[in-house]
Amino acid sequence: MSSSIGITNVNRIYTDVDGNKVNALNDVSLDIRPGEFISIIGPSGCGKTTLLRLIAGLDKPQSGTLSIDESAITDVSPERGYVFQQGGLFPWLTVEDNIAYGLKARKVYKRNKDRVGKYVSMVGLDGFEKSYPHQISGGMAQRVAIARALINEPKALLLDEPMGALDSFTRADLQDKLLELWKQNGITMILVTHDIDEAIYLSDRIVIMTPRPGKISEIINVDLPRPRHRGGVEFLTMRKKILELFELAQALPEPEYMI
């Protein structure tokens, strides 16, 4: 079951090590529909991850409100799964134990342990249940992290650049797996990424943020039919449009991959 997420007039200010005020987010408002796939893009330091952490309940704003299904977000909750950039797997736990960790932490493992195998299969890791993180690839580790978040059956999945450190082909494969999981589970997904191609390939809408203080400058509807072809004319036209919004159309190289 997916959820709507409401973000209204959110401001987040930090104090740095020198005592200076850093305005990470400035009057950010966004309504996310149930089951939507949203990508948030923008330059480094624009507040993308800060916004994701606020939605997760890992941080709190100075002002403004965040809600899920019209209930205020005040703390972390298993209804909002979070996948970190490097996965955050426990190196001393096997693949299946990493996936089961959330169930055990919530003390619901005994009555739900049969779900572990289901989610191992869902992310395509049958045969690797007893492997440790150092024995599997980076792409496989990120699949474990996604399964660990999904096993709690969240209403929303929050993804903080989970494919940023992967090579191009592994990244493309994981993007397709993520779309498959999105369709299977029908949950709301919010992805933070620096990769414009990735955002176009995956998203229903792309939220573009400005340099600090982070504000939403544009929201782009991605109306391309699925499955999407990264080398297609419509795809490349949309890519150029977004690059022009960043005023980087002449400065950035061609796509990293064309599949």
Side-chain angles (χ1 to χ4, degrees):
M1 185 177 183
S2 58
S3 286
S4 61
I5 294 172
I7 303 161
T8 306
N9 304 126
V10 163
N11 292 277
R12 183 66 176 101
I13 300 170
Y14 293 99
T15 302
D16 66 18
V17 292
D18 298 318
N20 300 312
K21 299 291 185 183
V22 178
N23 194 350
L25 294 172
N26 185 6
D27 196 29
V28 171
S29 295
L30 176 66
D31 289 317
I32 298 171
R33 298 184 287 270
E36 212 175 3
F37 200 125
I38 294 286
S39 287
I40 303 173
I41 64 174
S44 296
C46 73
K48 301 184 298 294
T49 293
T50 298
L51 182 56
L52 204 68
R53 286 174 56 82
L54 290 171
I55 297 169
L58 293 166
D59 194 6
K60 299 184 188 303
Q62 266 76 21
S63 61
T65 61
L66 297 103
S67 64
I68 181 166
D69 293 333
E70 300 183 0
S71 296
I73 295 172
T74 58
D75 205 347
V76 294
S77 168
E79 71 180 5
R80 280 162 277 123
Y82 198 103
V83 180
F84 296 90
Q85 184 171 0
Q86 299 300 331
L89 300 185
F90 299 112
W92 59 88
L93 296 180
T94 62
V95 163
E96 63 183 359
D97 286 338
N98 264 289
I99 292 172
Y101 181 82
L103 298 178
K104 292 178 179 179
R106 294 166 54 214
K107 297 181 169 47
V108 297
Y109 173 71
K110 285 186 178 180
R111 67 174 182 268
N112 292 289
K113 60 183 179 181
D114 291 344
R115 284 163 52 187
V116 176
K118 169 189 171 184
Y119 281 90
V120 167
S121 297
M122 189 179 289
V123 296
L125 289 176
D126 288 308
F128 293 92
E129 295 90 340
K130 304 298 183 184
S131 300
Y132 288 89
H134 72 275
Q135 297 174 317
I136 59 178
S137 69
M140 293 166 73
Q142 288 302 76
R143 289 188 183 199
V144 175
I146 291 168
R148 183 176 62 182
L150 287 175
I151 200 169
N152 289 312
E153 297 185 342
K155 296 179 179 179
L157 185 64
L158 313 177
L159 302 134
D160 189 4
E161 297 193 64
M163 295 165 278
L166 304 177
D167 66 82
S168 297
F169 292 102
T170 303
R171 186 172 189 147
D173 178 66
L174 190 54
Q175 288 168 0
D176 287 332
K177 175 55 69 173
L178 195 60
L179 281 176
E180 182 183 328
L181 293 170
W182 174 60
K183 291 173 185 175
Q184 284 179 11
N185 292 274
I187 66 173
T188 306
M189 288 196 181
I190 306 173
L191 170 71
V192 163
T193 180
H194 279 94
D195 190 313
I196 292 172
D197 289 45
E198 181 169 89
I200 298 170
Y201 189 70
L202 295 173
S203 309
D204 294 317
R205 288 191 294 162
I206 299 172
V207 176
I208 301 175
M209 297 188 67
T210 65
R212 188 178 294 158
K215 300 179 181 179
I216 294 175
S217 64
E218 295 276 349
I219 299 177
I220 305 294
N221 291 312
V222 186
D223 297 324
L224 307 184
R226 300 179 187 273
R228 293 170 181 164
H229 177 47
R230 295 177 176 90
V233 173
E234 292 178 321
F235 191 103
L236 295 175
T237 299
M238 179 162 285
R239 182 180 187 272
K240 185 173 185 294
K241 173 184 176 182
I242 294 172
L243 285 171
E244 287 171 347
L245 290 171
F246 278 114
E247 299 181 343
L248 292 175
Q250 304 302 316
L252 287 186
E254 290 301 309
E256 186 177 301
Y257 49 77
M258 300 285 282
I259 294 177

